[in-house]
Amino acid sequence: MTDQAATRHLSSQRGTDDPARRRPDATGTGYAHAKAILLGEHAVVYGTPALAVPVHGLGVEARVRPAAEGVHVDSELFAGDAATAPGLLRPVVTALSAALDLVGLASGAQVRILSSLPHERGLGSSAAVAAAVTRAVADLASVELGPDALYKVVQEAERHSHGNPSGLDARAVVADTPIRFQRGRVAPLEVGAATTFVLADSGGAGSTALAVAGVRARLDADRPGVERVFARIAELVEDGAVRLARGDVAALGEAMTEDHRLLAGLGVSNETLDRLVAAALAAGSAGAKLTGGGQGGCVIALAGSEEHADELATALRGAGAARSWTTTVPAA
Ligand code: MEV
């Protein structure tokens, strides 16, 4: 699909003279939520499939207003001229200017970012900020962005945050349902029974860029060995999708725990993440693993019920988790 086809002006009459576009008090808003990867991170960068679930309780709202000139950002991390924003804000600035170009707004903008989504925790913060900003710009311009146009802008922003993104995060932070992702394409997943997960923050930041680069170095050093690991992860993903569709929590959990061990073998776990996974299993979780880039960030643990999720959260905090969130994926 072309960008033109994917991007539809709500009113074909609207041009750059549209008063709604020039009103200084006009505000566009956009939202995107967190995601958690159930199975398949890292291998997905090399074309294998992965499964992710939305985390609706954590998200980012962006508000964009037109400005006479320049781009001004106001966020928890930084407030000021976008040209002087720190590296962490590069994806936002990239998304903002790509989105302004895409919808044909040439002038400046003021963007305010309100986020409940912690960054560098493997929950998709950089993709969610980029998606929220892009949606806010589209809203300001009364342009409806198709999913592929939105994906393209978020991917451009993601390249600034970690070089070679698979596209999984860009798709997952705007997907309302659990998804299977492979090479840019997404399909909703069948969920046989409501499934509850606890996400626990190890308290340490994880750099996806460094973790992805570390796996790349291992692949370069031992291609056959690492490709065997990727092939096994791909099997776990396919089995996991079937187990989720059946509502077989015990079997899904086994796949998650094995995936954690494989990821640890690729060097993307650390002592704290391993300790949290062990604590979740000791507290009766059917399976647990790191989620996202790793080397910090979060673990995701399967709970048997919402009550069990409370027990798991307590156990995880007892083992050193800085905080935790519970999310339930409904049957669908
Ligand atoms: C990061 O959330 C997931 C990774 O697989 C990187 C990517 O898919 O681009 C580690």
Side-chain angles (χ1 to χ4, degrees), residues 35 37 40-45 122 162 164-169 208 212 292-293:
K35 58 80 201 177
I37 300 174
E41 53 272 268
H42 284 291
V44 69
V45 172
H162 64 93
N164 183 26
S166 66
L168 170 59
D169 289 14
T208 301
V212 167

Side-chain angles (χ1 to χ4, degrees), residues 42 45-46 164 208-227 230 265-268 295:
H42 284 291
V45 172
Y46 300 90
N164 183 26
T208 301
L210 290 180
V212 167
V215 172
R216 171 91 244 170
R218 280 178 191 243
L219 182 67
D220 290 342
D222 173 19
R223 185 161 286 271
V226 172
E227 280 179 346
F230 288 167
L266 291 175
V268 297
Q295 293 183 346

Side-chain angles (χ1 to χ4, degrees), residues 153-166:
V153 175
V154 177
Q155 274 294 82
E156 193 176 330
E158 283 283 90
R159 272 183 215 106
H160 280 280
S161 93
H162 64 93
N164 183 26
S166 66

Side-chain angles (χ1 to χ4, degrees), residues 83-103:
T84 63
L88 208 55
L89 266 266
R90 265 321 317 146
V92 182
V93 177
T94 307
L96 191 60
S97 65
L100 289 168
D101 274 1
L102 183 66
V103 302

